[in-house]
Amino acid sequence: MPLLAIVYFSISGTTERLAHAMARGADGMAEIAFCRIVGDDIVSGRFQNESLLESIDRAGAVAFGSPTYMGGPAAQFKAFADASSDRWSKQRWANKIAGGFTTGACAGGDQLHALTYFSILAAQHGMLWCGLDIPGGEDPSDRNRLGSQLGLATHLVDGTLPQSDVSTAEYLGQRLAKMARRNG
Ligand SMILES: Cc1cc2nc3c(=O)[nH]c(=O)nc-3n(C[C@H](O)[C@H](O)[C@H](O)COP(=O)(O)O)c2cc1C
């Protein structure tokens, strides 16, 4: 069974809920490594959690997740990304499947920019990007309700994460696991 590494930063728990939904979706198709980035991983501005990076070394698929902060991924996620540059120079993560997920306070809160960043990070590493194959506005259960095909974009409605966003996260987790198996 391939390993799906879910690498994410979350303060108030929404991105973490999405991470767990992705894991549920991949259940039975992939082993899961939750790789939560925490503030203590960053020492004097540098991300220093080597064991988290080693989990990704072993993965067949990687999901990058962060809340959208000021129109992009949170600084803590960027610190992790910068610390992956040693792997980049050897293309250590090349050919792994990669996908991304984010959340924000607003429906149009520039989540796309965070997802674009994740896809560029994946491209830098020679990873194979996997978006959503659910056409926005066409799904009977309203998955991908924001019409974001690059990856999972969500936002809180009246302070709550809609069930359709949780279902989209489950679907993306399943899709990443499926692609990792196919990629062998
Ligand atoms: C510093 C900061 C910047 C933020 N910037 C944005 C933003 O650009 N767009 C947006 O929609 N939401 C923005 N938000 C809201 C967060 O994305 C939102 O609260 C999210 O649910 C937090 O995720 P978490 O629960 O996983 O910590 C911002 C929040 C903070 C604290």
Side-chain angles (χ1 to χ4, degrees), residues 106-175:
C106 308
D110 296 319
Q111 287 93 329
L112 177 62
H113 193 236
L115 293 173
T116 304
Y117 175 73
F118 297 149
S119 69
I120 291 173
L121 174 64
Q124 289 222 341
H125 280 290
M127 300 165 97
L128 306 172
W129 187 255
C130 173
L132 279 168
D133 60 343
I134 303 172
E138 301 284 333
D139 186 63
S141 46
D142 205 24
R143 292 173 306 170
N144 194 16
R145 75 188 164 90
L146 295 182
S148 170
Q149 304 241 189
L150 189 62
L152 172 59
T154 75
H155 87 300
L156 300 182
V157 178
D158 297 330
T160 307
L161 189 62
Q163 178 55 43
S164 56
D165 290 357
V166 174
S167 302
T168 314
E170 289 169 351
Y171 180 79
L172 183 58
Q174 182 191 69
R175 181 163 155 81

Side-chain angles (χ1 to χ4, degrees), residues 10-16 67-71 103-106 109 111 156:
S10 182
I11 289 276
S12 47
T14 304
T15 312
E16 179 154 72
T68 298
Y69 273 8
M70 301 309 292
T103 190
C106 308
Q111 287 93 329
L156 300 182

Side-chain angles (χ1 to χ4, degrees), residues 62-106:
V62 184
F64 296 126
S66 167
T68 298
Y69 273 8
M70 301 309 292
Q76 291 86 345
F77 183 92
K78 188 62 168 63
F80 147 75
D82 293 355
S84 71
S85 62
D86 284 350
R87 267 78 175 172
W88 163 81
S89 60
K90 301 177 193 75
Q91 289 292 282
R92 179 78 178 76
W93 294 347
N95 302 320
K96 295 178 189 296
I97 304 292
F101 61 106
T102 188
T103 190
C106 308

Side-chain angles (χ1 to χ4, degrees), residues 13-38:
T14 304
T15 312
E16 179 154 72
R17 272 193 70 195
L18 295 171
H20 283 271
M22 291 184 62
R24 278 197 305 281
D27 190 35
M29 302 182 69
E31 304 285 345
I32 305 296
F34 287 109
C35 301
R36 184 174 184 167
I37 298 162
V38 295

